[in-house]
Amino acid sequence: DAKTTQPTSMDCAEGRAANLPCNHSTISGNEYVYWYRQIHSQGPQYIIHGLKNNETNEMASLIITEDRKSSTLILPHATLRDTAVYYCIGLNYNQGGKLIFGQGTELSVKP
Amino acid sequence: EAGVAQSPRYKIIEKRQSVAFWCNPISGHATLYWYQQILGQGPKLLIQFQNNGVVDDSQLPKDRFSAERLKGVDSTLKIQPAKLEDSAVYLCASSTPRRLGQYFGAGTRLSVL
């Protein structure tokens, strides 16, 4: 599974877009990019995942670069409830599909 | 739909005691996972079940940790005897084969004194 690199922490103003970057330069061709978040005292929550194409759901958008070496999770209108640790994870189903969590990015949404 | 249920929510024990955690996954989810999350770190997979069979237990400290999922539904994780370094949150997750991500419970916070 690819090693991912994320900034340790980020701030975002309430109502603005939060753009969380992730570097996964060693990602293999059949490895998905998954994003989870963990709000304090809760279990991780699935947000979105993608392989090559950009993806959007009711929670967020995922932009994956054409070379797949990096991606950006976008929360279009951040609220205080989006304050959490965000994890970017490379996942290869051909190798068991194991989630390997790194340190993640601690996002603080401020009023 | 109901989420992943875990109990207890909190547990405090002394070192060398035994403890057990229970997990009931989302109905119909064949795959069940147990994770350990030490304060300040991301969750670490301990064991993965597919129905009632073990898929991956490479990170489970088998001298003191055990887990079972006898009927392919709910699962129990046991620690015997506990050490101070076992203080952590123990998370259970479940998933379907459709690659829509894993769904996590709220976890059990264990403090070993």
Side-chain angles (χ1 to χ4, degrees):
Chain A
D1 297 314
K3 175 176 169 55
T4 60
T5 305
Q6 300 177 253
T8 303
S9 63
M10 292 180 62
D11 289 340
C12 177
E14 188 179 18
R16 304 296 294 268
N19 297 286
L20 291 91
C22 178
N23 182 290
H24 34 78
S25 57
T26 61
I27 198 168
S28 64
N30 53 5
E31 210 164 340
Y32 289 79
V33 179
Y34 273 76
W35 282 84
Y36 282 77
R37 73 179 182 184
Q38 188 169 24
I39 295 169
H40 183 62
S41 294
Q42 297 183 20
Q45 176 190 23
Y46 165 80
I47 302 173
I48 199 168
H49 74 282
L51 184 63
K52 296 179 183 178
N53 300 322
N54 298 336
E55 303 287 345
T56 296
N57 63 19
E58 64 279 4
M59 290 184 68
S61 294
L62 174 60
I63 308 298
I64 303 175
T65 58
E66 195 169 336
D67 62 8
R68 302 210 327 122
K69 292 184 184 300
S70 65
S71 60
T72 301
L73 179 75
I74 301 172
L75 308 177
H77 305 286
T79 71
L80 299 179
R81 289 175 294 181
D82 292 321
T83 292
V85 178
Y86 287 77
Y87 297 99
C88 168
I89 302 168
L91 198 155
N92 189 334
Y93 283 98
N94 294 336
Q95 295 178 6
K98 197 161 63 172
L99 284 176
I100 300 175
F101 289 83
Q103 292 293 107
T105 295
E106 188 166 4
L107 175 69
S108 296
V109 181
K110 300 182 184 299
Chain B
E1 64 182 0
V4 176
Q6 289 189 249
S7 68
R9 192 78 171 85
Y10 303 93
K11 189 73 178 178
I12 301 173
I13 61 172
E14 294 187 351
K15 60 183 179 184
R16 291 189 288 274
Q17 286 188 322
S18 302
V19 65
F21 314 124
W22 175 82
C23 172
N24 191 17
I26 292 172
S27 177
H29 282 197
T31 310
L32 184 147
Y33 313 78
W34 282 101
Y35 290 82
Q36 179 193 59
Q37 186 172 24
I38 292 171
L39 186 65
Q41 299 180 17
K44 182 185 83 171
L45 179 68
L46 292 176
I47 188 167
Q48 176 183 344
F49 290 95
Q50 181 71 24
N51 296 309
N52 61 350
V54 175
V55 173
D56 183 352
D57 63 357
S58 58
Q59 298 296 305
L60 188 73
K62 298 181 187 62
D63 57 334
R64 297 183 301 106
F65 286 64
S66 64
E68 59 184 14
R69 193 184 183 201
L70 293 175
K71 296 182 179 178
V73 181
D74 57 351
S75 175
T76 303
L77 176 70
K78 296 179 182 176
I79 307 175
Q80 181 179 11
K83 293 185 175 182
L84 296 177
E85 59 260 36
D86 298 331
S87 293
V89 175
Y90 291 84
L91 295 159
C92 178
S94 67
S95 70
T96 73
R98 290 182 294 156
R99 302 181 179 182
L100 294 177
Q102 295 179 21
Y103 294 83
F104 285 78
T108 296
R109 181 175 297 276
L110 173 68
S111 296
V112 182
L113 306 178

